[in-house]
Amino acid sequence: MSLALDPAAQDLLFRDAHTANTFTDEPVTEEQVQAIYDLVKFGPTAFNQTPLRVTLVRSPEARERLVQHMAEGNQAKTASAPLVAILAADNEFHEELPTLLPSFPQAKDVFFAERPVRESSATLNAALQAAYFIVGVRAAGLAAGPMTGFDAEGIRKEFLDDDHTPLIVVNIGKPGEGASYPRSPRLAYEQVVTTV
């Protein structure tokens, strides 16, 4: 194998990791979430933009409000997960570019002056960051249950504002009994990779 990452770490992050549907009641601490973010914030994005915004849903009252906006098949697991995170794209991310991209601070106005351009870029790059976040959850020894089955407009109105687009809701915790389904097939290298 020509990977630099230790095989045990490869298993933790990818081969043995599964989407979790049940969790133990062991809490997910603020320190764990901080460690996850402090690791995954280094993942690459275009122009070093950081459009991902994370809303941690911890209180029972907020959890109840969130569950109402989840698809029926996602409600019970969202209600019972130790922690739930709403991952959203900040469509006004460009305001931070002069700080995040000091080598080209004018990128804020040169490339992102128009809202539709910002929204497209925010969605793509926040989705990249969301993927890093899920791998970071695994790196912390936790399981993630990412879901896109929800009422996006309802979540936006309930938890965010018009400048934020909800992308994924992620249940987080230690996997419980029967947490995952058997691994589904994946496409082979030859089906995906083309050399030109």
Side-chain angles (χ1 to χ4, degrees):
M1 190 57 86
S2 58
L3 297 176
L5 193 64
D6 175 87
Q10 296 172 36
D11 289 343
L12 176 71
L13 299 178
F14 296 100
R15 286 189 289 262
D16 292 342
H18 292 266
T19 295
N21 294 294
T22 66
F23 298 89
T24 69
D25 59 3
E26 184 178 329
V28 177
T29 67
E30 196 67 32
E31 292 76 19
Q32 287 172 303
V33 178
Q34 176 84 48
I36 290 164
Y37 178 74
D38 285 341
L39 176 65
V40 303
K41 69 183 177 185
F42 294 109
T45 58
F47 294 95
N48 199 39
Q49 62 184 268
T50 308
L52 180 70
R53 296 296 178 266
V54 181
T55 301
L56 300 177
V57 182
R58 288 197 181 273
S59 74
E61 178 269 334
R63 184 73 61 96
E64 201 171 290
R65 288 170 29 224
L66 174 61
V67 167
Q68 294 174 20
H69 297 290
M70 301 302 295
E72 186 176 342
N74 293 332
Q75 289 180 350
K77 54 189 171 185
T78 301
S80 63
L83 179 63
V84 182
I86 300 168
L87 305 187
D90 181 355
N91 297 307
E92 297 299 312
F93 70 88
H94 69 304
E95 296 294 345
E96 297 158 342
L97 285 180
T99 301
L100 295 174
L101 195 64
S103 62
F104 187 29
Q106 61 272 37
K108 170 187 180 238
D109 299 313
V110 172
F111 292 106
F112 301 109
E114 296 179 16
R115 176 70 180 234
V117 173
R118 287 199 305 276
E119 287 179 357
S120 176
S121 190
T123 298
L124 172 62
N125 287 280
L128 279 174
Q129 290 188 286
Y132 303 144
F133 182 86
I134 291 166
V135 173
V137 167
R138 294 172 172 182
L142 301 169
M147 301 167 292
T148 56
F150 56 80
D151 171 12
E153 191 55 33
I155 286 180
R156 184 201 312 258
K157 287 179 181 174
E158 193 79 44
F159 294 97
L160 306 168
D161 59 37
D162 289 341
D163 288 331
H164 294 80
T165 303
L167 301 175
I168 304 172
V169 175
V170 184
N171 295 328
I172 304 168
K174 291 281 187 185
E177 191 173 325
S180 59
Y181 304 117
R183 172 80 71 203
S184 293
R186 298 296 194 267
L187 294 178
Y189 178 88
E190 296 77 16
Q191 294 174 283
V192 174
V193 178
T194 302
T195 302
V196 295

